[in-house]
């Protein structure tokens, strides 16, 4: 399904109140006083886990920082962050980063076909502040260090092969990664106030040991055309990668990144925006900006990690805000899908769907304690749209 731009100067119209904010292109609008439900309906009362969900959905706790996972002997990591799911026979695996420095790394939880936890283990150790990342088409997890001159590590979700540092993907404050199997590149975000958007072109698709790092070059506006230019020194020292190419497009705090159908989407936390790169015609545009909602009341604030479902919906986790995961549909509806209550000092991280699309995994990085040792990883099941 081809997605469309949601804003381009448009605003939420009062007629959209029943839909949580239908973004009408080309219309001057004012925000509804009470944004309504999205395609799954209104959120219900908080369940036993403190999560508000639409009707027909339920949640369970998968893991807690500092505690053993399920019936395993493995202790779950602190500050769970970016994550992804991988098929594993008739079951699946959910991997999760640890955003602490030092130690960081990533862990995995294994499920059987009925969703029961059958194992948990470490897949990356002794790294720094592993924030987000991305899965590859060859079933590895790219875990990114969100530190100055940070690296990307390629890890094995199945726990068989040792993690490998991928130096060719550049040294900078990495955030997220998204694979594009059509153009055979990996897109990368940078969590700096004047960060850039990159792509890595492997010498051989499926092997990230060598290749070319490029940076997006474009004007200063919120839409237009773009090109790619090689980063002369991906090592980033003594000159940072974001400062090496004249005309490189600057973004305020790059966060989550997701590819689907010739489009790559990424969020920027500094200005609370969702950006859309239309790869078929090399144009970019602003897809969502909460500051354009007249009078406040934007349904999505604190944009962070992003993932997509088979229906073409985007699910965007909030860092702060109302502690929600919000949905943006192909029909231009923006609305809360779930809300975590009683955890205002935390952030939602790592949203990812099971291979069959019936389960959504995510974490509250600091849980009810507001500390990295209070992280909680959840699963939500229900009638997700096909």
């Amino acid at each position: 399904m081809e997605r469309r731009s949601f804003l381009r100067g448009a605003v939420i119209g009062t007629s959209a109140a029943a839909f949580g904010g239908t973004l009408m292109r080309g219309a001057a609008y004012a925000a509804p006083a009470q944004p309504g439900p999205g395609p799954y309906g209104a959120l219900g009362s908080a369940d036993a886990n403190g999560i508000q969900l639409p009707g027909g959905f339920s949640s369970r706790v998968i893991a807690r920082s500092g505690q053993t996972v399920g019936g395993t002997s493995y202790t779950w990591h602190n500050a769970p962050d970016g994550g992804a799911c991988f098929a594993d026979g008739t079951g699946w695996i959910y991997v999760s980063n640890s955003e602490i420095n030092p130690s960081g790394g990533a862990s995995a939880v294994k499920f059987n076909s009925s969703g029961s936890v059958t194992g948990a283990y470490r897949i990356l150790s002794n790294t720094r502040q592993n924030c987000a990342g991305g899965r590859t088409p060859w079933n590895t997890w790219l875990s990114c260090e969100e530190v100055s001159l940070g690296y990307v590590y390629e890890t094995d979700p199945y726990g068989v092969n040792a993690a490998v540092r991928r130096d060719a993907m550049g040294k900078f404050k990495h955030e997220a990664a998204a694979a594009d199997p059509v153009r055979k590149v990996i897109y990368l975000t940078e969590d700096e106030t004047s960060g850039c958007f990159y792509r890595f072109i492997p010498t051989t698709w499926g092997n990230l040991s060598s290749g070319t790092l490029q940076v997006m070059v474009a004007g200063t506006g919120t839409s237009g055309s773009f090109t790619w230019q090689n980063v002369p020194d991906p090592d980033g020292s003594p000159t940072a990668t974001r400062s090496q190419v004249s005309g490189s497009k600057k973004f305020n705090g790059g966060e989550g990144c997701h590819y689907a159908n010739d489009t790559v989407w990424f969020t920027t936390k500094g200005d609370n925006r969702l950006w859309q790169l239309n790869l078929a015609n090399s144009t970019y545009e602003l897809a969502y900006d909460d500051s354009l909602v007249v009078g406040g009341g934007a349904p999505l604030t604190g944009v962070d990690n992003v993932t997509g479902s088979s229906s073409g919906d985007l699910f965007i986790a909030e860092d702060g805000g109302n502690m929600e995961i919000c949905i943006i549909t192909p029909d231009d509806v923006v609305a809360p899908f779930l809300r975590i209550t009683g955890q205002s000092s935390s952030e939602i991280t790592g949203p990812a769907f099971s291979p069959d699309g019936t389960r959504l995994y995510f974490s509250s990085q600091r849980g009810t304690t507001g500390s990295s040792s209070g992280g909680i990883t959840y699963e939500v099941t229900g009638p997700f749209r096909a």
Side-chain angles (χ1 to χ4, degrees), residues 115-134:
S116 298
V117 173
T118 60
Y121 44 90
R122 196 79 168 175
I123 61 172
L124 178 65
S125 300
N126 301 318
T127 55
R128 305 168 295 164
Q129 202 162 320
N130 297 79
C131 195

Side-chain angles (χ1 to χ4, degrees), residues 154-173:
E154 187 170 16
T155 70
D156 178 13
Y158 306 93
V160 176
N161 299 310
V164 179
R165 197 177 75 188
R166 296 304 189 189
D167 294 15
M169 300 184 78
K171 290 173 65 177
F172 54 88
K173 200 172 184 180

Side-chain angles (χ1 to χ4, degrees), residues 97-120:
N97 282 341
S98 176
E99 195 187 14
I100 57 174
N101 188 8
S103 297
S107 302
V109 183
K110 192 172 184 177
F111 302 87
N112 63 18
S113 59
S114 65
S116 298
V117 173
T118 60

